[in-house]
Amino acid sequence: MHAHAVIFTAAGTLITLACLLGVVWLGPAAALLNVMTAVPAAYLCIRLGLRYGLTVVAVTSVSLLLLSTPYTLITYLALFGVGSVLLSLLIMVRIPWDRAVLYTVSAVSCFTLLFMLLMSVMASVTPTELIERIVLTEAEQTMQIYRQSGFSEQQLQEVGSVVDRLAAFVSSSFVGILVVILLSVQAVTLLSLQFLTRSHYRIAGVAFADWRLPAKLIWLLIFSGFTAFSGLPVLSWLGQNFLLILLPLYFLQGMAVVNSYLRYRTWPAGIKVLIYLLLLMLSPLPLIVTSIGIFDLWIDFRKNRQEELT
């Protein structure tokens, strides 16, 4: 059993590094690997125990110090390392999956923002200036990856223009984007754990098809929509960041509605996966799914579906 655990831990560390650094080695095509970075450590926590997941995080951190920069290490711990252990720990103590994700994202967001505040104090700059520096560094690293990928000069200019506009948007919406990234990482990690442990472990919580957001959250969405376009700098900043956080949550609720319909279909699993991917990636389907999630509060699509079945 000990040798078995060592092999799993070593493999988990290698997969974690591949997911995190794959974009550097393989270019933009490997960018989607990043969201899977937290999966190996979280899986080992549940499969073998907390210490094995912590070992993966620790060994990965040491490896990043040797292979990359301290900035990459901090990014790993903030976005993946801490959250992978915390999410699996909450799952193991039988916290329902939606609350486990909420607690993990909230805790890691606070940890990251407090750490950034400390860094800004140590660097004698304002938090806004620190965020701008981080965004500019990321933008330059992104452009470097595209240069190494063999893009033509004209293509690089077009990409550079997009990256510059995106950098300005990220600087003004950093908090909301951080929370959405953490939510995406934890959602992918949870989905992966559900798939990998389905034969020997049941994650607590309601079925995804029956999951819904608290009804009163709609008032925060409405308030955020008004304030985002109020023209007042502080209120606009708050509204914009809240919208960035809330709209993906209502997209997930819309996907839960879709899941409630698809679970009664006897279609092959590959067809269902393709439907989910199209709903996620093909414009304007994500907007439609988000709208379904919002109006589900009043129309209750799932109740109507259950009435049809009965």
Side-chain angles (χ1 to χ4, degrees):
M1 177 62 184
H2 179 70
H4 178 74
V6 170
I7 293 173
F8 266 73
T9 304
T13 303
L14 292 175
I15 294 173
T16 300
L17 289 171
C19 290
L20 184 64
L21 301 178
V23 68
V24 177
W25 299 331
L26 303 177
L32 292 178
L33 285 174
N34 281 150
V35 295
M36 302 290 292
T37 301
V39 174
Y43 173 71
L44 288 179
C45 283
I46 293 178
R47 178 68 184 271
L48 301 176
L50 185 62
R51 61 175 178 169
Y52 293 99
L54 287 171
T55 300
V56 169
V57 174
V59 175
T60 300
S61 300
V62 174
S63 301
L64 289 175
L65 278 177
L66 299 175
L67 297 174
S68 190
T69 63
Y71 174 76
T72 304
L73 170 61
I74 294 172
T75 302
Y76 164 70
L77 291 175
L79 297 182
F80 308 107
V82 176
S84 64
V85 175
L86 182 56
L87 178 67
S88 56
L89 178 62
L90 292 173
I91 289 175
M92 287 190 291
V93 298
R94 311 304 296 168
I95 300 293
W97 62 265
D98 52 347
R99 293 186 183 182
V101 171
L102 172 63
Y103 298 157
T104 300
V105 172
S106 300
V108 177
S109 297
C110 292
F111 164 78
T112 302
L113 293 174
L114 286 174
F115 181 77
M116 291 183 63
L117 180 60
L118 178 62
M119 287 180 60
S120 67
V121 171
M122 294 176 62
S124 299
V125 296
T126 65
T128 302
E129 291 172 339
L130 179 64
I131 289 172
E132 291 176 350
R133 289 184 184 181
I134 293 174
V135 171
L136 289 175
T137 300
E138 286 290 335
E140 180 57 34
Q141 289 181 351
T142 301
M143 289 303 302
Q144 186 63 30
I145 292 172
Y146 280 104
R147 292 189 191 100
Q148 295 172 353
S149 300
F151 279 56
S152 67
E153 189 64 31
Q154 182 179 356
Q155 289 175 321
L156 287 175
Q157 290 179 358
E158 293 174 356
V159 171
S161 176
V162 173
V163 169
D164 289 341
R165 291 196 298 270
L166 185 60
F169 172 73
V170 171
S171 296
S172 64
S173 311
F174 183 82
V175 175
I177 292 174
L178 171 66
V179 174
V180 170
I181 291 174
L182 290 172
L183 177 62
S184 302
V185 169
Q186 298 309 321
V188 169
T189 303
L190 178 69
L191 183 63
S192 301
L193 290 177
Q194 181 70 46
F195 175 77
L196 294 171
T197 64
R198 66 190 186 282
S199 62
H200 57 275
Y201 191 89
R202 183 183 180 279
I203 296 176
V206 300
F208 181 60
D210 300 321
W211 177 78
R212 64 181 69 239
L213 292 165
K216 292 182 179 180
L217 198 61
I218 193 66
W219 294 109
L220 181 58
L221 179 68
I222 295 172
F223 172 79
S224 301
F226 279 111
T227 56
F229 302 100
S230 65
L232 301 174
V234 176
L235 285 179
S236 295
W237 180 85
L238 284 173
Q240 183 173 311
N241 281 274
F242 272 120
L243 278 179
L244 281 172
I245 297 170
L246 292 172
L247 289 177
L249 291 176
Y250 280 99
F251 171 80
L252 289 177
Q253 180 159 306
M255 292 293 276
V257 173
V258 173
N259 182 255
S260 71
Y261 278 75
L262 291 182
R263 66 175 174 176
Y264 295 109
R265 301 291 183 180
T266 57
W267 297 338
I271 297 296
K272 293 182 179 180
V273 171
L274 179 60
I275 291 174
Y276 288 127
L277 290 176
L278 291 174
L279 292 175
L280 179 64
M281 302 174 63
L282 185 62
S283 179
L285 294 181
L287 180 61
I288 294 173
V289 173
T290 302
S291 300
I292 291 173
I294 293 172
F295 287 104
D296 185 50
L297 173 65
W298 297 286
I299 300 177
D300 198 351
F301 297 101
R302 284 167 279 197
K303 180 180 179 181
N304 296 336
R305 176 61 178 169
Q306 291 170 359
E307 291 175 351
E308 290 177 8
L309 292 172
T310 55

